[in-house]
């Protein structure tokens, strides 16, 4: 039987217009370019925020209730002054630690154990976008509980409310530092149960070292407090309750918190690359 299809249509090179796929000349077709960082970051952030809004609202209520309960208990032994400022500031940042450190460590530990990292690894997005998007979503999720805790604590201990706008800097900077630490713990832990344990220990450290006044702690414990990322956010918020805050010192505390946040997120990004290729 004679074919009516020209031979060059089968054996010759197949070409399309300038906007079509590349010619089949034996070379592999080039892959599509990787997505840029900021569009990828925005997409991951929106997806994680939507997921957290559905699944984490009960836990956020628990975190806020826990912090308010701690302040009520401490009200019986603390009257005012620097101790009251430390209790309120530490309790407010504790909400950030509960969500951004504890829950994020559990989330990444679960992703690694269940193979969820394989899904992210197949997406053409930079590793930093995955880590920063998840960390930003979890840190943003702490805003309502942190504000409520700070306002309730200020009223409970008779502290001024005029400078609570500092929370606009304390929440994202403390959230970045703690979220980076939580993500790194979850990604580096060899087992999911260990990631959960490390997240719980980190939140407990934020509770004990952040809520208790610094001058009441033994010297070795005070050194450990200086190493905790949330300490500098607690100090900045605590100083803002003064009648005349030393804004230079507040800015210095926030700058240290920002540097720690950048470092912890960089470590978390490295840990994500390390876990995704295994």
């Amino acid at each position: 039987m004679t074919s009516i299809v020209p031979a060059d249509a089968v054996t010759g090179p197949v070409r399309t217009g300038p906007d079509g796929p590349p010619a089949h000349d034996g070379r592999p077709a080039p892959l599509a370019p990787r997505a840029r960082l900021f569009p990828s970051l925005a997409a991951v952030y929106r997806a994680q925020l939507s997921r957290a809004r559905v699944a984490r609202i009960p836990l956020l209520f628990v975190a806020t209730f826990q912090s308010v309960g701690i302040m009520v208990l401490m009200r019986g032994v603390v009257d005012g002054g620097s101790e009251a400022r430390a209790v309120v500031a530490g309790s407010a940042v504790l909400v950030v630690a509960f969500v951004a450190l504890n829950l994020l460590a559990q989330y990444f530990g679960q992703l690694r154990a269940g193979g969820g990292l394989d899904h992210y690894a197949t997406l053409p997005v930079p590793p930093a976008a995955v880590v920063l998007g998840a960390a930003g979503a979890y840190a943003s999720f702490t805003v309502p509980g942190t504000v409520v805790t700070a306002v309730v604590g200020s009223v409970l201990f008779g502290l001024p409310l005029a400078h609570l706008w500092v929370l606009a800097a304390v929440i994202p900077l403390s959230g970045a530092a703690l979220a980076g630490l939580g993500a790194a713990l979850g990604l580096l832990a060899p087992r999911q149960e260990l990631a959960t344990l490390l997240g719980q220990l980190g939140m407990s450290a934020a509770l004990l070292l952040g809520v208790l006044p610094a001058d009441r702690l033994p010297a070795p414990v005070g050194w450990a407090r200086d190493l905790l990322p949330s300490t500098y956010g607690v100090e900045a918020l605590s100083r803002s309750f003064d009648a005349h805050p030393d804004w230079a010192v507040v800015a210095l505390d926030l700058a240290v918190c920002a540097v720690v946040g950048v470092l912890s997120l960089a470590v978390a990004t490295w840990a994500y690359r390390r876990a995704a290729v295994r």
Side-chain angles (χ1 to χ4, degrees), residues 111 122 185 264 277:
L111 273 184
T122 60
L185 292 176
S264 65
V277 299

Side-chain angles (χ1 to χ4, degrees), residues 173-192:
L173 294 179
S174 298
L178 292 171
L181 178 60
L185 292 176
L187 291 167
L188 293 175
R191 292 188 302 171
Q192 179 181 355

Side-chain angles (χ1 to χ4, degrees), residues 13 28 36 53 67 69 148 156 159 172 176 191 195 202 224 258 261 264 270 273:
R36 292 176 297 173
R53 186 168 55 245
S67 293
V148 168
L156 187 63
L159 300 177
R191 292 188 302 171
S264 65
W270 169 82
R273 289 195 183 99

Side-chain angles (χ1 to χ4, degrees), residues 36-53:
R36 292 176 297 173
L37 174 62
F38 290 106
S40 303
L41 174 60
V44 175
Y45 174 82
R46 289 194 299 268
Q48 290 291 338
L49 192 63
S50 176
R51 176 185 180 277
R53 186 168 55 245

Side-chain angles (χ1 to χ4, degrees), residues 66-272:
Q66 170 186 263
S67 293
V68 172
I70 290 172
M71 292 189 298
V72 171
L73 291 175
M74 295 298 290
R75 185 65 180 86
V77 296
V78 174
D79 293 329
S82 61
E83 294 180 347
R85 294 193 292 269
V87 168
V88 175
S91 298
V93 177
L94 180 62
V95 179
V96 182
F98 183 87
V99 177
L101 194 162
N102 182 28
L103 296 185
L104 198 57
Q106 296 182 33
Y107 172 69
F108 273 108
Q110 180 181 7
L111 273 184
R112 181 178 179 181
L117 289 181
D118 296 337
H119 166 71
Y120 282 109
T122 60
L123 299 178
V125 298
V130 178
V131 175
L132 294 176
Y138 275 71
S140 301
F141 194 60
T142 67
V143 172
T146 305
V147 172
V148 168
T149 302
V151 171
V152 171
S154 299
V155 174
L156 187 63
F157 286 90
L159 300 177
L161 299 171
H163 300 138
L164 281 185
W165 54 265
V166 174
L167 286 172
V170 171
I171 293 175
L173 294 179
S174 298
L178 292 171
L181 178 60
L185 292 176
L187 291 167
L188 293 175
R191 292 188 302 171
Q192 179 181 355
E193 296 81 7
L194 186 57
T196 301
L197 175 62
L198 292 175
Q200 292 284 351
L201 290 176
M203 189 196 67
S204 299
L207 167 61
L208 296 175
L209 302 179
V211 174
L212 297 178
D215 54 1
R216 297 287 187 90
L217 299 175
V221 180
W223 300 336
R225 183 177 185 271
D226 293 337
L227 297 175
L228 191 66
S230 60
T231 296
Y232 302 96
V234 172
E235 289 293 333
L237 181 57
S238 177
R239 297 180 196 279
S240 70
F241 288 123
D242 294 338
H244 302 285
D246 188 343
W247 295 114
V249 179
V250 172
L252 179 60
D253 287 329
L254 293 175
V256 173
C257 196
V259 171
V260 175
V262 171
L263 293 176
S264 65
L265 289 171
V267 172
T269 302
W270 169 82
Y272 170 81

